Amino acid sequence: MQNESGGRVVVILGTGGTIAGTQGAGGATYRAAQLGIDALVRAIPELAGAALQSEQVAQVDSKDMSHLIWQTLVQRVHHHLVRDEVVGIVVAHGTDTMEETAYLLHRVLAPGKPVVLTGAMRPASSRQADGPANLVHAVALAREPGAHGVLVTMAGTVHGAADVRKVHPHRLDAFGSGDVGPLARFEADGHLRRLRAWPTGEALGIALLDAEPAAWPVVEIVTSHAGASAALIDALVRNGVKGIVIAATGNGTMHEAIEQALRDAAWSGLRVLRATRCGDGAIVEPDHPPPEWPSAGALTPAKARVELMLRLMAAPAV
Ligand code: SIN
């Protein structure tokens, strides 16, 4: 869809998700990623006449998000960000892995314009669909003077990519920002109330991502839990894994069997990052003595996986 009315263009990229999903009567046959982004945008009266361009980058249930789609999405977001007439970008995305995609875009692009991810908890075919209101908020954010960085908006709340996580499988307000809280909220009258500064960061740059995603370093997540053993770590190392994120207990601790397996794997150059498996809060520990394996602070294990992959791209294991 092209709408060139004026110089302040917002580009809306579609990737699928429940926001583009449909469901038959009585809750049957729910399917994510059925409707194109053009059709979704055209159906929202509040967006009629706005300077919008839409583009379908993918059409996927985000549980199946792939490195190939990520590679394409990063390229398309970057392509539009450097256009002078574009003031901001909206990415319509499934909610299940939205925090991972948001974090990837944040670390690679750290954009000086707003890149706003949004989605929906109810399919587009629902009479109470939440996607349209979320898209209206996302477009408003993409146009917000002074806004920048990768943002997520759902149910009137705005989060930064570094802090956001999905915290509920059903609620419309399914995202949180942990201890630091959201960045902003849309009031009932549509006014945006900012609570914290827009996110900043240093862009790693798109050149870091190999054009061939099969060449991206393999990083897996292993959860520490009661009764854990060395089996998963040993198998992953035998298969040539480059990095492992430990979804660690509490303040970044792990089962002694996992610790021993990681020590035994040191010969392989394996890189390790610890993220807490708690639903909220950050790993906090003294600088001295330095921990045996670094922590991912407040990142969820899934986001820590993205972080470790990027670190390995920047400084490959030897
Ligand atoms: C998805 O993540 O693609 C499906 C679920 C959702 O969007 O809420």
Side-chain angles (χ1 to χ4, degrees):
M1 181 174 108
Q2 301 288 322
N3 183 337
E4 299 287 358
S5 56
R8 290 171 39 82
V9 172
V10 172
V11 176
I12 308 183
L13 303 177
T15 67
T18 292
I19 193 169
T22 56
Q23 186 157 32
T29 63
Y30 159 76
R31 285 200 185 88
Q34 299 299 301
L35 304 174
I37 191 65
D38 265 8
L40 294 176
V41 173
R42 278 187 215 279
I44 303 175
E46 292 93 325
L47 297 182
L52 304 174
Q53 294 176 6
S54 53
E55 179 180 320
Q56 197 76 45
V57 172
Q59 189 64 299
V60 70
D61 184 324
S62 82
K63 72 180 175 56
D64 299 323
M65 185 52 63
S66 66
H67 292 173
L68 183 60
I69 297 174
W70 272 356
Q71 169 68 282
T72 308
L73 182 63
V74 170
Q75 297 293 335
R76 294 313 292 162
V77 171
H78 178 257
H79 167 86
H80 292 297
L81 275 175
V82 298
R83 294 171 53 201
D84 286 343
E85 70 276 24
V86 171
V87 291
I89 293 176
V90 170
V91 180
H93 195 291
T95 62
D96 285 342
T97 58
M98 191 184 287
E99 69 194 55
E100 295 167 60
T101 300
Y103 189 71
L104 177 81
L105 291 168
H106 163 71
R107 292 288 281 130
V108 174
L109 299 172
K113 299 175 184 177
V115 173
V116 188
L117 283 79
T118 195
M121 297 300 289
R122 292 179 182 150
S125 56
S126 163
R127 269 188 289 176
Q128 288 92 32
D130 52 329
N134 288 339
L135 270 174
V136 169
H137 283 155
V139 170
L141 257 184
R143 288 192 186 293
E144 177 70 13
H148 54 78
V150 179
L151 312 169
V152 166
T153 185
M154 289 285 292
T157 306
V158 182
H159 306 274
D163 305 310
V164 71
R165 59 177 70 185
K166 188 171 181 181
V167 295
H168 201 279
H170 313 297
R171 244 173 28 205
L172 296 186
D173 194 1
F175 286 77
S177 281
D179 292 342
V180 297
L183 286 180
R185 280 185 212 286
F186 284 95
E187 307 285 12
D189 63 1
H191 173 77
L192 181 68
R193 184 158 58 93
R194 186 141 68 86
L195 305 170
R196 295 194 290 117
W198 300 119
T200 53
E202 201 171 317
L204 294 169
I206 55 169
L208 188 66
L209 302 182
D210 195 297
E212 180 45 72
W216 292 15
V218 177
V219 177
E220 301 287 355
I221 302 172
V222 172
T223 301
S224 183
H225 53 83
S229 77
L232 280 178
I233 308 247
D234 291 349
L236 288 170
V237 170
R238 271 199 306 277
N239 275 283
V241 74
K242 295 289 182 250
I244 293 180
V245 169
I246 303 296
T249 36
N251 195 28
T253 55
M254 62 184 93
H255 193 285
E256 59 189 358
I258 290 187
E259 280 188 328
Q260 192 53 52
L262 292 178
R263 286 187 195 116
D264 292 345
W267 61 267
S268 68
L270 178 73
R271 297 261 285 275
V272 176
L273 197 53
R274 292 173 298 126
T276 181
R277 63 174 219 187
C278 293
D280 210 344
I283 296 175
V284 179
E285 54 201 355
D287 293 339
H288 300 288
E292 192 166 358
W293 298 285
S295 102
L299 296 180
T300 60
K303 288 163 77 173
R305 195 192 75 86
V306 176
E307 176 64 30
L308 184 51
M309 202 166 58
L310 293 171
R311 287 186 194 180
L312 278 158
M313 289 175 186
V318 279

